[in-house]
Amino acid sequence: MQKHYEALGKAAANYVPLSPISFLKRAETVYGDRTAFIYGEIHRTWAQVAGRCRRFADALKQHGIAAGDTVSVIVPNIPEMFELHFSVPVSGAVLNTINTRLEAETVAYILDHADTKLIIADTVFSDLLRNAFDILGRDIEVIEIVDDQADTPPGSDRTDYESFLLTGDADATWHLPDDEWQAISLNYTSGTSGRPKGVVYHHRGGYLMALGTVVTWPMTEHTVYLSIVPMFHCNGWNHPWALASIGAKIIYTRDPVPERIWDAIQHHKVTHFGGAPIVLQMLIESAKDAEEPVSPPIKVFTAGAPPPPAILQKSQAMGLDVMQVYGLTETFGHITECLWRDEWADLSADEQAQMQSMQGVGFPILEQVRVADKSTGQDVPRDGVTQGEIAVRGNPIMKGYYKDAAATDDAFKDGWFWTGDAAVMHDNTYVQIRDRLKDVIISGGENISSIEVEGVLYRHAAVQAAAIVAIPHDRWGEVPCAFIELREGHDATEAEIINFCKKHLAGFKTPKKVVFGDIPKTSTGKIQKYVLRDRASKV
Amino acid sequence: MQKHYEALGKAAANYVPLSPISFLKRAETVYGDRTAFIYGEIHRTWAQVAGRCRRFADALKQHGIAAGDTVSVIVPNIPEMFELHFSVPVSGAVLNTINTRLEAETVAYILDHADTKLIIADTVFSDLLRNAFDILGRDIEVIEIVDDQADTPPGSDRTDYESFLLTGDADATWHLPDDEWQAISLNYTSGTSGRPKGVVYHHRGGYLMALGTVVTWPMTEHTVYLSIVPMFHCNGWNHPWALASIGAKIIYTRDPVPERIWDAIQHHKVTHFGGAPIVLQMLIESAKDAEEPVSPPIKVFTAGAPPPPAILQKSQAMGLDVMQVYGLTETFGHITECLWRDEWADLSADEQAQMQSMQGVGFPILEQVRVADKSTGQDVPRDGVTQGEIAVRGNPIMKGYYKDAAATDDAFKDGWFWTGDAAVMHDNTYVQIRDRLKDVIISGGENISSIEVEGVLYRHAAVQAAAIVAIPHDRWGEVPCAFIELREGHDATEAEIINFCKKHLAGFKTPKKVVFGDIPKTSTGKIQKYVLRDRASKV
């Protein structure tokens, strides 16, 4: 490189560490008098939100929280949870959001593994924390959020969020990280098997995710965002940071049950929300038949599980402009998107929904997506048939797993992050997941995608939820077993379900056994297949 | 910082240097079959454009162009100019775009100062280059672009662009910089006084500008962009890099005269363009009175000079949704924007245009904007009256001036980039330029903003263009002198103009002298005040 160009180094004027904190700092002045939050009676402007975050961060520092300390939070989607996404990083600490639906044992494991210095929790989780501390054999300091708008237990003699906030200096200044590679948050994987792993995010990734999401959804300064995606999950797909960058209006419901979602849509003219396919399904089921579609359509990101085509089709009819996105905890949330292609306009509604059920192409800020064999490093052909593993490279990828160098090295093998998802690559470069690698069923030497079989089951009128797992079979090694939750007021027999599948699937893909009953799901709406596998081994 | 977080270092999987090259790389697959360029008969898809850029980059490397070499280009806004914004950086070289309206002497100065290794030039500039080489006393190798669609001179026996392109490997792979701080381009200031300075851009800034521009304009994948902003000016305000990130459609006209602009708007349903206020004025003058406003409105960025309120008002009536943006060569183009505020809706059209003539607030990716005294470092109060200098900090700021450490250090004094623009800060944090510092007129101890006086002159029906400069005065030190270009078919006398000003301005701000005639402008529509000052000293 030529020396005159090289001689020009970085300076304070031209190099600022990338951090989502900068977006709130800007929102404080640029969007200062605009509404940031609506939560029942609570209305706050961006200047108010930013001021509270600066002050809370100062309170944390005064309280002894140091750079790189872990602050764990167990809070539903209420305004405080958004604020903590800024105030904790502004203090220099790392935000560890804990899934609010976890059992005490796992919460105890996370608090211990994360080296938590302080917990901030909604009082609804007081018992949970007490149990977790019992398992842990020690207490950790807790700051309580008492939510007046919810039916939560009263606060104890512990410090409450609002009093703690007041201990901070109202004129405290913003504090950016010294280095954009610094940790901003710690998110534990849902741990469908074994112990959850602690995924560490960096400020750089949070900043870029924010811009990339605004660019591609797209959102504007007129966005009215309904907070549904749990902020404990990939930091709400990094949406809090994106929303600050455009000074959007955010609507909170605490508990996103269908009636509250419909209410928010009607009263606040919601333009955007994200949610798992299960949220869409609940909305579909709660919609009144005579209802007109929402207009203008609401832009929806769905992720967490591949949405069955039937759900995409019905969502569209309701006025939801759904785009499937895909990602993992390790990738800051969504990194691929099923961008609509003009040529799909000529397809039937059913074919369109099939297309939209692909995971698609990389986000603008993702560097590259491959489908390859992890052991050989070879890409699969773009034939839509050959399976490989999705591997990605780019800036919205975790720093690594907290205190787990071996898992980090394995995940980053050969310069790629290996997702563990089995997929095919279509000739238009769209990726389509066939399964979690460990969920693939191998029957008589043939791979069966459980997602494909589930997609067929969802088309049956009586099926509310469906999951396919492998059961051992003497001749074929494994065969598919279907677990089915029936829709209220509907009925079906095992034989009917199997016959329905035979009409739409190759024989070897057709379930050989059907079990009716409730299907266990994680807090994010993912079906817990490891529980079903356990059940299946006993049928 | 806690050691477990620190232990997680950067890896090939999770850290990729930020470079606009990544956007074209993604566009090649994601938007591969979509139209990227329309230039007369030329239609190219994003896959074709990307393929040509990869190949041209390889040709440059094979030709001996090494990392950090300067490649100068002197080309109008045609498809090749866009391609060079990618192919030169992909080769590892630095793109030096030369203003196509410069005289041979300055071109010679730039080629020498920039250490140019190779020139790529449209044949219309053959004579200019011959003269520049004569001044320089040596030749530099030239690759010629022969534009069949323009009335340009035929190619010589020099290598032409298309033949050169074919010497590259069609299967060449993408090459990102090793470091995002690496130089991507070298843009010389217009040099309103003295020698132009070489402003060096970095890949990181180009990447962030692209995302920030898409976020705030905003643009989407359905954007149809009309190429008017000269790409030799701040790399077309970094728009080529932004357009690749969303796979937009780009319309070229080579020469953006009003009839071609109207033609493009009608035929291609243009959604976005950028241009100096002079472009808007030309459009206003060429519009037919009976014409309906463009619908839906076209989103327009205007910059380069503060647009007179009258021009903003008339543009809006034509269906142009104009937002003023502000920046300098040193800031990668626009870094502030006059965001519309809801409370302006209640103002009169005239008051609205006054508001829109402010330079506004920082772009989402700019860290901070101040108005301060450079010598004391003190911010001016937010009173809309006290003048200071605009200073900014953030990632879209140059690496520095090429081979000019003293000027770089001065520009970056105390950790800020000092713009040299005199401005006030309003209580809503909107910045408003009063003048270039050196254009401020000091009359009897009072500062006079030449922009303010010019704004009044533009409201006079007979005034086509106006410029105010200082002339010496025995009593007051300096007084304002007006230079005026009259509108065709209109007439006015000095006394009329002065009386008109007196009605709208304080006495000391009213021009004491009026000179009628042509006003000299730079290629980017900026009035050359140094020429006028020279003339004024002789009146």
Side-chain angles (χ1 to χ4, degrees), chain A residues 440-448 471 473 475-480 507-510 512:
Chain A
V440 172
I441 300 159
I442 302 172
S443 191
E446 299 284 354
N447 284 354
I448 302 173
I471 45 174
H473 189 274
R475 179 161 183 193
W476 304 114
E478 296 178 342
V479 291
F508 73 97
K509 294 181 181 173
T510 299
K512 302 298 174 285

Side-chain angles (χ1 to χ4, degrees), chain A residues 460-463 484 486-494 496-497 516:
Chain A
H460 191 287
V463 171
I484 286 175
L486 288 174
R487 201 178 289 276
E488 223 180 282
H490 285 75
D491 219 346
T493 64
E494 179 170 23
E496 270 170 41
I497 295 290
F516 295 98

Side-chain angles (χ1 to χ4, degrees), chain B residues 307 312 316 322 324 338 340 344 352-358:
Chain B
L312 287 171
Q316 201 191 341
V322 179
Q324 187 193 177
C338 189
W340 178 263
W344 295 348
Q352 286 182 350
Q354 293 286 345
M355 293 298 171
Q356 289 177 277
S357 69
M358 293 190 287

Side-chain angles (χ1 to χ4, degrees), chain B residues 230-383:
Chain B
M231 280 185 262
F232 60 72
H233 186 54
C234 308
N235 298 113
W237 303 352
N238 283 234
H239 293 174
W241 299 325
L243 294 161
S245 77
I246 46 166
K249 187 188 286 179
I250 307 169
I251 316 297
Y252 299 91
T253 67
R254 184 175 172 107
D255 192 11
V257 292
E259 54 271 33
R260 292 199 191 174
I261 294 177
W262 286 121
D263 188 64
I265 288 172
Q266 281 189 327
H267 283 86
H268 301 295
K269 300 196 193 322
V270 169
T271 62
H272 290 71
F273 69 82
I278 189 77
V279 172
L280 298 178
Q281 191 174 339
M282 291 189 317
L283 283 177
I284 289 165
E285 283 160 11
S286 68
K288 294 171 193 76
D289 277 342
E291 205 111 51
E292 289 288 302
V294 182
S295 177
I298 299 176
K299 296 190 87 65
V300 178
F301 270 176
T302 193
I311 289 181
L312 287 171
Q313 232 177 307
K314 288 177 191 160
S315 299
Q316 201 191 341
M318 285 197 306
L320 304 182
D321 181 7
V322 179
M323 180 155 74
Q324 187 193 177
V325 293
Y326 155 80
L328 299 87
T329 304
E330 287 85 342
T331 63
F332 287 67
H334 38 54
I335 47 163
T336 75
E337 50 182 347
C338 189
L339 278 184
W340 178 263
R341 294 178 68 90
D342 292 339
E343 65 264 30
W344 295 348
D346 300 331
L347 302 178
S348 70
D350 189 53
E351 287 168 321
Q352 286 182 350
Q354 293 286 345
M355 293 298 171
Q356 289 177 277
S357 69
M358 293 190 287
Q359 281 63 44
V361 295
F363 259 51
I365 59 154
L366 187 71
E367 198 57 25
Q368 220 172 322
V369 190
R370 298 168 66 198
V371 178
D373 183 312
K374 188 174 180 181
S375 56
T376 66
Q378 287 295 305
D379 281 349
V380 302
R382 293 183 179 177
D383 59 9

Side-chain angles (χ1 to χ4, degrees), chain A residues 12-74:
Chain A
N14 65 15
Y15 190 92
V16 177
L18 302 177
S19 166
I21 293 168
S22 292
F23 296 133
L24 187 60
K25 185 177 161 187
R26 175 173 176 272
E28 183 171 31
T29 53
V30 172
Y31 306 116
D33 53 5
R34 290 177 54 180
T35 301
F37 291 171
I38 297 182
Y39 176 45
E41 298 305 305
I42 294 177
H43 287 235
R44 280 187 197 134
T45 65
W46 280 103
Q48 288 170 332
V49 170
R52 286 168 59 88
C53 291
R54 278 193 287 104
R55 193 167 190 178
F56 199 93
D58 186 65
L60 287 171
K61 284 202 269 191
Q62 286 192 38
H63 197 67
I65 295 297
D69 282 351
T70 304
V71 174
S72 295
V73 305
I74 179 154

Side-chain angles (χ1 to χ4, degrees), chain A residues 333-380:
Chain A
H334 37 53
I335 47 164
T336 76
E337 50 183 348
C338 189
L339 277 184
W340 177 264
R341 294 178 67 90
D342 292 340
E343 65 263 31
W344 294 348
D346 301 331
L347 302 178
S348 70
D350 189 52
E351 287 168 322
Q352 287 181 349
Q354 293 286 345
M355 292 299 171
Q356 289 177 278
S357 70
M358 293 191 287
Q359 282 63 42
V361 296
F363 259 51
I365 60 155
L366 186 72
E367 198 57 26
Q368 221 172 321
V369 189
R370 298 167 69 197
V371 177
D373 182 311
K374 189 174 179 181
S375 56
T376 65
Q378 287 295 304
D379 281 348
V380 301

Side-chain angles (χ1 to χ4, degrees), chain B residues 448 452-453 480 501-512:
Chain B
I448 303 173
E452 184 185 3
V453 184
C501 287
K502 274 190 183 154
K503 275 191 221 153
H504 300 284
L505 286 169
F508 73 96
K509 293 181 182 174
T510 299
K512 303 299 174 286

